[in-house]
Amino acid sequence: MHSTPRCIRFRSLALGLLIASFQGALAEAAMPPSEQVLPAATKAYLSVPDMPKLLAAWQRTPIGRLLDDPAMQPFHADLKRQLHAKDLLIEDRVGITFGDLEKLPTGETAVALVQMPDGRAAGVALIDVTNNLQAAGQMLQKVDGVLQRNGAKRSMHASRYANAPVTVYDIPPKGKRKQAVQAVYVIENGVLGISDNLGLLDQVLSRLRTPKPDSLASVAAYRNVNERCAKQAAEFEPHLRWWVDPAAAGEAMQNSLSRKPTRDLVAIAKKEGFTAIRAIGGYVTLAAGPYGVVHRSKVFAPPPYARAMRMLTFPNASVHAPESWVPSDVASYMTFRWEMNNAFDNFGTLFDEIVGEGEQGVWNDVIDSMKTDPNGPQIDVKHDLIAHLGTRCSIQTDNVDPIGPHSQRRLFAAETTNEQAVAAAVDKLMQNDPSVKLRTFKSGDTEYKIYEIIPEDQQVPAVQVQVGNEPAAAGQAHPHMPHSAVTVGLGYLFVASHVDLLEQILSHPSAEKPLDPDGDYQRVIAQFPKLNGGPHSAEGFTRDDERFRVSYELIRQGKLPEADLPLAEAVNAIFQSETPEGEVRKPKIDGSKLPDFAVVRKYLSFGGSFVQSEADGWMVVGFTMNDKNANQAAQARADRGNVAE
């Protein structure tokens, strides 16, 4: 049924007055720095100081160039179609696109999560539209049409802190969203304000008019992070700044849930002392000098620490050369110093909270039973095993072809100070476990014990397969059914996701092409002193083409939900409630129109990172290289692989 002429006239008049007030809003000055406008109760914050500069820099990054490649456009179009069909596009919900929002800012754009007096979270966005008021008014007119068609009730509120009226939309529940929500908009003094809470937006408007001392900028933890990152990144202008108080932000978001989680992880974190991490934040710069991306992040965690928080002790060292067995073709490699004896001593209370569900002494009972139970391994874990571990750990990943759900191989290596003692302890722990299969592997004159851990749902007869050009030993697991494995050798305790990865390392204690002298790796570590990197507790190296190849191919194949990748596990956890028990989750997105990975590879590079332990926390610096030589290196590796095939 059509509206009556009177309703039409009233609606047109209201919209006309609304747009006129937007266009007539004061615009003599640009938006003040957002951290001076947001309240001290802000718990998470993201700021783009200059959106036009960010977008221009983005186009010069490898990923920016990749997304503009014509070969990606069929997927872009198909992705939009899929999202529209599933009512997942922001345009379908509020009538605007990210493209609309990109064109609006003429200065800073900031988004914040604020903890309200009732403990719940509310969000606010501030966009400097000083020189773009007409476009901002037109966008809000578009929003008005979409929201009202979707059943939202609009009301206008006068604010004593704004010349323009505040528009409030009360949006009824829809689909899986069981709660009514609010959307609040205003343009004041050249600033477009958007929130889901009228009281919060009104508070921000008051601060826009009259600055107050209790702003985000006054919060000590915010100042510490911001000043430390500014000092570390003095030579680069940040395109993006971020900050979060993790405990408070988590608590506020949890308080906002309609149904409380079965396990209160925020409460556990508080009890275990992790609130010592008072803030985390950083600066991100795009296309700066030889770098595609440079990020600096500060973890502000001043001591003293209590309970499980005391596990986080990472001493700095001057040299972290890769071990001789690390090959140059890794997808990623990280090595770090960790006081593992100290970590073991402080792990028990966390175990009690998570595994013991808050019952005290569960960890001590487990450790004691392992020592005294006549049917157990009869091992003193601390003195027989942990005491003989050093302080260095390393993690590496690589990929095996053909790409499938289990193609990414992962390895964790912990340094030993007494290899024989650690080997004896591992023997005791593993030898009577029914889910563990003992295998022996001989390399030269040395015979190693490999304990293969086979989950109950995968206990099938082993098959003989061929790996590379060498025949596999009888009993080797099929590469598409990897079984984690443990062994001790070469001065390390190894835990791997694939048995064949352990065999590869044990067969080549000195890799044929080691990582340490590799040109890409050497170029990465040469950047550390240029980025103010002195002695540090951790350093990493990544080849982005190899790091992303498995995920990319599995998305193309529609097999990501089957993978044992961290990305797949995280997405599966999010949609767990939608997946029937015992079934594999169906992909949310059809990636069949993604181009061949060869198109993507030529844009990807390599990079690195390092972590410095400081008196009040940790400083993390990471980067990717962004130049023709780096992209050519990725292409050359691909070409060598094609020739080998």
Side-chain angles (χ1 to χ4, degrees), residues 296-566:
R296 279 96 160 178
S297 302
K298 169 71 180 194
V299 180
F300 179 49
Y305 299 158
R307 296 173 72 90
M309 180 67 192
R310 291 183 296 217
M311 296 170 58
L312 307 184
T313 305
F314 307 100
N316 289 327
S318 298
V319 179
H320 292 82
E323 296 87 348
S324 61
W325 37 263
V326 181
S328 64
D329 61 354
V330 291
S332 67
Y333 169 77
M334 171 167 278
T335 187
F336 57 98
R337 301 280 178 180
W338 187 21
E339 293 185 359
M340 287 181 277
N341 279 268
N342 172 71
F344 182 85
D345 289 341
N346 291 288
F347 175 68
T349 57
L350 183 61
F351 183 93
D352 290 349
E353 288 297 328
I354 295 177
V355 178
E357 298 183 343
E359 182 180 347
Q360 296 183 8
V362 175
W363 171 250
N364 290 334
D365 290 345
V366 170
I367 296 301
D368 185 64
S369 67
M370 294 176 73
K371 180 180 178 180
T372 60
D373 187 342
N375 297 317
Q378 296 186 323
I379 177 177
D380 186 325
V381 176
K382 178 173 173 59
H383 293 95
D384 295 345
L385 176 62
I386 304 299
H388 303 297
L389 297 178
T391 59
R392 183 174 184 179
C393 302
S394 295
I395 299 171
Q396 75 176 57
T397 65
D398 66 6
N399 306 320
V400 290
D401 292 317
I403 296 299
H406 307 294
S407 286
Q408 186 183 89
R409 303 188 302 181
R410 298 176 294 278
L411 175 79
F412 171 81
E415 176 187 51
T416 65
T417 57
N418 185 332
E419 183 177 325
Q420 290 72 28
V422 173
V426 171
D427 286 344
K428 285 185 176 182
L429 282 170
M430 298 291 185
Q431 59 190 1
N432 294 321
D433 191 326
S435 66
V436 172
K437 176 181 178 182
L438 172 62
R439 304 175 66 243
T440 58
F441 179 78
K442 192 169 185 180
S443 176
D445 295 329
T446 306
E447 187 172 89
Y448 298 94
K449 292 180 179 179
I450 298 178
Y451 290 96
E452 186 177 5
I453 304 170
I454 306 174
E456 290 184 6
D457 60 350
Q458 292 186 17
Q459 291 181 8
V460 296
V463 296
Q464 183 171 341
V465 300
Q466 183 171 320
V467 178
N469 295 320
E470 300 179 6
Q476 179 173 326
H478 191 281
H480 290 285
M481 291 186 67
H483 304 148
S484 58
V486 178
T487 194
V488 180
L490 310 180
Y492 281 82
L493 166 64
F494 292 105
V495 181
S497 61
H498 293 59
V499 174
D500 61 301
L501 178 54
L502 282 186
E503 294 177 347
Q504 172 186 313
I505 290 171
L506 297 175
S507 299
H508 301 91
S510 295
E512 294 178 1
K513 293 182 179 179
L515 178 61
D516 190 23
D518 180 81
D520 296 346
Y521 176 77
Q522 287 297 321
R523 188 163 175 221
V524 162
I525 62 172
Q527 307 306 312
F528 292 175
K530 298 177 183 178
L531 296 170
N532 300 318
H536 44 272
S537 55
E539 67 179 47
F541 170 78
T542 59
R543 298 190 188 279
D544 289 343
D545 56 331
E546 284 301 302
R547 190 158 60 113
F548 298 127
R549 183 163 68 101
V550 173
S551 297
Y552 184 90
E553 293 291 5
L554 292 178
I555 292 172
R556 285 186 72 202
Q557 299 170 15
K559 296 181 178 180
L560 185 64
E562 306 170 36
D564 57 357
L565 299 171

Side-chain angles (χ1 to χ4, degrees), residues 229-243:
C229 290
K231 180 180 178 181
Q232 214 285 339
E235 72 277 27
F236 293 119
E237 177 185 5
H239 291 114
L240 184 150
R241 297 182 296 126
W242 64 280
W243 179 88

Side-chain angles (χ1 to χ4, degrees), residues 564-604:
D564 57 357
L565 299 171
L567 172 63
E569 292 170 356
V571 176
N572 288 346
I574 292 172
F575 295 106
Q576 182 178 14
S577 61
E578 301 178 16
T579 306
E581 187 174 353
E583 294 185 15
V584 176
R585 179 181 64 82
K586 294 181 180 179
K588 287 289 182 181
I589 299 298
D590 177 7
S592 60
K593 284 188 166 51
L594 282 167
D596 189 89
F597 190 70
V599 172
V600 176
R601 187 191 293 272
K602 64 185 179 183
Y603 290 99
L604 300 180

